[in-house]
Amino acid sequence: MQILLSYCKLTQKTKKMLKYPKHLQQLIHLFKKFPGVGNRTAERFAFQVFNWPLEDVLHFSTTLSELNQKIAFCPECSCLAEENYCHFCHLPNRNTSQLCLIASVKDAYALEEMGMYQGLYHVLGSLLSPIEGKNVDCLPMEKIKQRVKSHSIKEVIIALDSTLEGEATALYIKEQLASDVHISRLAFGLPIGSCLDFVDGGTLARSFTGRHSF
């Protein structure tokens, strides 16, 4: 037993003494900033990059260094714009009578991939969350109202997550815009292929309330 304890102490001491080179440690620390990436995964990423050909490493480095220079937020809709061109604002075939409010930039790409919506977008950037200190001042309501007026928007589509934060934000936006334009919200309900036995009560209730003619 004593020998085993001594071995464990020696192993722990050895682990403390063994450290990766400084630059590799820095790279591991940076990879750990990614969501869901722990120490082991970050180490694996760092060693993978270390083993890349020099050409790939330089290309990776250049892409990262130019990211914030080449891409910026569109001053009109807050989606991503490259070299002052916003795909969501400048395409001539967009329906300028519809405005879809989304929480993040990624949501615009998800809706575009669906291929059913051709209107305008506006990124809120955050949702109401008193716990995180995000109040109504965090929402760009004045800018949204200006766009509704300048583009003669007929319908504002609220496309936010079905969470407490999403619900609170949607209700606030509805109160702010209800007198100016028609407000609609994405339907939430039963996913395709689901069985009622496996659907939670909240989803089932929302599906029942939002039923339509058939």
Side-chain angles (χ1 to χ4, degrees):
M1 185 67 178
Q2 187 64 34
I3 296 176
L4 180 60
L5 290 174
S6 299
Y7 175 77
C8 291
K9 290 181 180 178
L10 179 62
T11 304
Q12 291 176 357
K13 185 177 180 181
T14 304
K15 285 183 178 180
K16 290 181 180 178
M17 293 174 60
L18 290 176
K19 291 185 177 180
Y20 294 129
K22 182 179 178 180
H23 282 79
L24 195 59
Q25 289 185 52
Q26 292 176 349
L27 186 57
I28 292 172
H29 178 71
L30 290 173
F31 278 127
K32 286 172 65 176
K33 291 180 177 293
F34 287 99
V37 175
N39 194 65
R40 290 293 181 88
T41 304
E43 289 178 358
R44 189 165 65 250
F45 287 169
F47 275 99
Q48 184 66 38
V49 172
F50 180 73
N51 290 319
W52 283 356
L54 179 59
E55 181 181 353
D56 291 344
V57 174
L58 292 176
H59 180 63
F60 183 57
S61 175
T62 301
T63 302
L64 288 178
S65 64
E66 294 180 349
L67 188 62
N68 290 336
Q69 301 174 16
K70 301 292 186 180
I71 301 176
F73 292 108
C74 173
E76 180 74 7
C77 69
S78 295
C79 289
L80 296 181
E82 189 170 13
E83 298 180 354
N84 297 322
Y85 178 82
C86 178
H87 168 83
F88 303 106
C89 290
H90 294 160
L91 283 183
N93 61 342
R94 304 220 65 104
N95 181 2
T96 57
S97 68
Q98 290 181 315
L99 181 64
C100 183
L101 304 184
I102 52 180
S104 69
V105 172
K106 288 179 61 179
D107 296 335
Y109 293 94
L111 292 172
E112 284 292 290
E113 187 176 354
M114 178 181 61
M116 295 179 62
Y117 178 72
Q118 296 296 323
L120 303 176
Y121 292 96
H122 200 98
V123 181
L124 300 180
S126 66
L127 300 177
L128 294 179
S129 178
I131 297 177
E132 298 178 4
K134 297 178 180 179
N135 52 35
V136 295
D137 294 332
C138 297
L139 299 178
M141 289 309 306
E142 290 303 318
K143 194 170 185 179
I144 292 172
K145 290 178 180 179
Q146 290 176 6
R147 294 193 73 192
V148 169
K149 185 177 181 180
S150 62
H151 289 285
S152 298
I153 299 294
K154 296 180 180 179
E155 180 187 13
V156 171
I157 304 169
I158 301 177
L160 304 179
D161 293 340
S162 182
T163 59
L164 289 175
E165 293 80 5
E167 292 290 334
T169 305
L171 287 174
Y172 176 76
I173 292 173
K174 181 181 178 181
E175 292 176 356
Q176 293 293 308
L177 299 177
S179 60
D180 301 323
V181 66
H182 174 66
I183 308 290
S184 63
R185 180 107 192 258
L186 292 188
F188 296 98
L190 299 176
I192 295 176
S194 62
C195 298
L196 295 185
D197 291 344
F198 300 102
V199 177
D200 65 275
T203 300
L204 189 58
R206 176 64 68 88
S207 305
F208 195 82
T209 304
R211 65 190 185 279
H212 56 82
S213 301
F214 181 67

